Amino acid sequence: MQSLARIALVVSDYDEALDYYVGTLGFDATEDSEVSAEKRWVVVTPPGSECSLLLAKAKGADQKAAIGNQSGGRVFLFLHTDNFDGDYARYTEAGVDFIEDPRQEAYGKVVVFRDLYGNLWDLIGRS
């Protein structure tokens, strides 16, 4: 058996990223350890998920240029929910940047949002 355990997401600032992913999206801060004076090991996990995000602070020009565009402008991350309407309402109230209205697809309800860095996400309520 194999499974994805963690995805590195390049960010500009650890605390700013934590505030968004934990404070706005409601993820759990599952790890936050200092590795060196400049580097931390910061992990956030959506509630109930086995896969988490490693918030990796950009270092150098190439990594800084990738912030918000790790997938070349395509939807990058897919967040499944068992409460689409509730999460959509909560995220809307929290100021999440939805770039479209929710729509019904064969696989469920979906809406695209942009995180604080510009990465595109699908919020999906599976049918």
Side-chain angles (χ1 to χ4, degrees):
M1 179 178 135
Q2 296 179 333
S3 65
L4 284 176
R6 194 160 288 139
I7 298 167
L9 182 66
V10 181
V11 301
S12 61
D13 180 82
Y14 294 118
D15 293 324
E16 172 187 72
L18 274 169
D19 185 53
Y20 182 81
Y21 294 106
V22 174
T24 301
L25 296 185
F27 291 7
D28 297 318
T30 48
E31 292 184 54
D32 188 350
S33 304
E34 188 174 310
V35 176
S36 70
E38 302 85 33
K39 185 176 179 181
R40 288 162 50 189
W41 185 260
V42 180
V43 178
V44 296
T45 308
S49 180
E50 292 184 25
C51 187
S52 57
L53 294 175
L54 171 66
L55 303 178
K57 185 175 177 181
K59 182 178 178 183
D62 288 345
Q63 290 181 18
K64 288 178 182 176
I67 294 172
N69 194 27
Q70 289 183 222
S71 63
R74 295 195 54 132
V75 169
F76 177 48
L77 298 161
F78 300 81
L79 182 61
H80 289 188
T81 178
D82 61 1
N83 184 7
F84 182 90
D85 293 332
D87 285 341
Y88 178 72
R90 185 170 53 83
Y91 286 1
T92 298
E93 186 174 311
V96 170
D97 181 18
F98 289 99
I99 64 169
E100 64 178 12
D101 292 326
R103 64 186 191 280
Q104 186 67 46
E105 297 290 347
Y107 52 85
K109 286 184 181 178
V110 64
V111 66
V112 178
F113 69 92
R114 183 180 292 119
D115 70 14
L116 79 160
Y117 296 110
N119 297 298
L120 297 179
W121 293 63
D122 269 359
L123 177 64
I124 301 171
R126 309 261 318 157
S127 297

